[in-house]
Amino acid sequence: MDPLDLGILRELSRDQVLWFGRLDPRVSAAEIARRLKVDRGTIASRLRSWQACGFLRGHEVVPSPLLSHASFAGGSLRVDDLRLKTRLLEDLGLVPGIVGAVDHVGPWVALLYVFENREALERSRQLLLRLPGVGEATPCVPFRAPHPTVEPSALDWRILRALRTEAKAPLARTARAAGVSTKTLARRLNRLIRGRAVWYLPLLDFTRYRKATVARFLIALDSRGDPGATAEALRRRIPNLAYLVDASAAAELPPEAPAMIDLGAHMGSVGEAEDLQASVLSIPGVQEVEVLFPRRFHMYPAWFDERIRAAVERSSRPNRRG
C-alpha cells in the first residue's frame, strides 16, 4: 500500500454511499487521474495490479434502493464459533433483505439491509438469529440514503441488466449485449452514478494488503462532543484517512444514542492502530473508540437483480391507451 493506492481508495470513497462506493474507475479513470495528478494509464495499471493480487475481487453495479421505494439499514451480527463463519457468510444471501456484509477480524460482521417497511426489516433480523453460529444480531439502524437526481430510462435499465449479467466482462462486450456503443454505455453509466441512481461498489479483500493494514474506528461522543468539530480534529490528526462518515447525520439513531463517527485509516501495523485509538480518546468530547479490522466486503445482489428485471419488463411492455 503506497500513496497512489491510498489516493485511489480515497477517490473511490469520496462522498460515498457506503464504505467505498462512488466512482466507477472503468468510466472515471480520467477524473481520478486528474485529482491525483497522475496519468490515466497509471490508474488503469494500478487497478489491474489490485485484481492480480486479489485485493480487488470484483465489483457490483446496482441501482439505488430508493428507485424501488425502499430504504437501507445497517446492523451487525456476532459469530459464536469462528469455524462456522465462512459458511455463515455464504448463507447470509439467503436471508431476505440482506444485500451486503463486511467481515471483520474476530466475531463481528457488519450488515447492510434493504427494506420496504420496518416490520420486514425486523423479520429479517429475527430470521438471521436462527442461522447456525449467530450469537447476536443487533437492532437495525436505517440510513438516510442520498436521493437520486436522475431517473433511469428504458435503455439505462437494459444497460444495468447487461452489466449485472456479465459483471466481469469488458465494457465493450457489455455494450454490445445492451445494443449500444461503448462510449454510450460509459456516458450513461457515469450519469447514473453521478446522479445517485446507481452505486458502484468494489469488492475489496483486505487480507491481500501487503505492508499495511486498514483499521475501522467507531467513535462515540459524549454530551459535550460536537461531530463537526471532532471530524475536523480527526482529519488533522490522521494523515492516512481513507474515509470519514458522521453516522449521526447518515443514520436514524434513537434520540438517546450518542453521536457516532465511523472512519477508516491505513495503518502500518496493528500497534499503530492501537496508538491512534489512544490518541483519538484524548480528543475532547470523545467517549469511546472501538477498533475493527475489515477482512472482506461481500455483496448479495439478488434483490437488486429482481428489481432490474422487473424494470426492464415494465419498460418493454407496449403502451396501451384507453
Side-chain angles (χ1 to χ4, degrees):
M1 185 56 54
D2 62 17
L4 179 58
D5 289 320
L6 178 58
I8 294 173
L9 284 176
R10 281 176 175 161
E11 290 307 316
L12 293 183
S13 63
R14 182 186 295 274
D15 194 27
Q16 80 278 24
V17 176
L18 302 175
W19 288 277
F20 292 98
R22 180 179 180 261
L23 297 174
D24 185 337
R26 298 171 301 172
V27 298
S28 304
E31 179 178 347
I32 295 173
R34 178 179 58 80
R35 286 181 177 273
L36 298 180
K37 296 181 173 56
V38 298
D39 182 73
R40 177 177 179 172
T42 301
I43 299 298
S45 175
R46 185 56 57 96
L47 291 172
R48 286 194 295 271
S49 71
W50 284 10
Q51 291 175 313
C53 75
F55 175 50
L56 179 59
R57 295 166 43 233
H59 59 267
E60 301 285 358
V61 178
V62 298
S64 167
L66 275 67
L67 293 172
S68 300
H69 307 289
S71 301
F72 70 106
S76 58
L77 65 85
R78 189 189 75 243
V79 183
D80 280 345
D81 187 344
L82 291 180
R83 293 172 296 181
L84 300 176
K85 197 178 188 184
T86 299
R87 175 62 183 273
L88 176 60
L89 286 166
E90 296 173 355
D91 290 346
L92 287 178
L94 302 175
V95 178
I98 293 182
V99 295
V102 181
D103 176 21
H104 295 97
V105 174
W108 288 100
V109 178
L111 300 175
L112 179 68
Y113 297 83
V114 169
F115 68 99
E116 295 174 3
N117 56 70
R118 296 293 184 96
E119 292 76 16
L121 183 60
E122 178 59 20
R123 285 197 300 271
S124 295
R125 190 180 76 89
Q126 292 297 329
L127 179 58
L128 178 63
L129 285 167
R130 300 189 179 194
L131 293 183
V134 175
E136 179 184 354
T138 64
C140 305
V141 179
F143 292 133
R144 298 183 181 96
H147 284 269
T149 58
V150 299
E151 185 73 24
S153 66
L155 177 56
D156 291 332
W157 284 114
R158 293 202 302 273
I159 288 174
L160 282 175
R161 181 179 62 180
L163 286 166
R164 298 288 315 137
T165 302
E166 296 188 84
K168 295 185 179 181
L171 286 183
R173 194 166 85 192
T174 304
R176 287 195 298 272
V180 297
S181 68
T182 305
K183 185 176 181 180
T184 296
L185 183 147
R187 176 172 54 82
R188 284 181 170 267
L189 178 57
N190 206 20
R191 170 179 170 271
L192 292 170
I193 291 176
R194 291 180 180 281
R196 303 290 196 175
V198 167
W199 301 345
Y200 166 82
L201 305 171
L203 300 178
L204 302 177
D205 184 349
F206 291 100
T207 68
R208 299 291 181 170
Y209 255 32
R210 294 294 179 265
K211 300 182 180 179
T213 187
V214 67
R216 184 181 176 200
F217 296 80
L218 301 179
I219 303 166
L221 308 184
D222 60 25
S223 58
R224 301 169 300 153
D226 174 73
T230 304
E232 190 58 36
L234 291 167
R235 291 189 181 96
R236 291 195 303 266
R237 193 168 296 206
I238 307 173
N240 292 331
L241 192 68
Y243 71 87
L244 188 151
V245 177
D246 179 356
S248 305
E252 297 178 14
L253 297 171
E256 67 276 8
M260 296 288 296
I261 291 176
D262 181 355
L263 72 84
H266 300 271
M267 304 279 95
S269 67
V270 174
E272 186 179 336
E274 186 176 36
D275 292 341
L276 181 58
Q277 180 184 23
S279 175
V280 172
L281 280 167
S282 69
I283 297 176
V286 171
Q287 175 177 291
E288 184 180 354
V289 180
E290 181 181 3
V291 184
L292 298 170
F293 295 95
R295 286 173 50 84
R296 294 183 184 90
F297 291 177
H298 300 265
M299 286 293 292
Y300 312 102
W303 186 93
F304 298 103
D305 291 338
E306 292 170 4
R307 270 64 188 176
I308 292 173
R309 185 163 51 249
V312 170
E313 290 175 357
R314 285 195 304 271
S315 63
S316 63
R317 294 175 192 150
N319 290 327
R320 296 181 180 179
R321 297 182 179 272

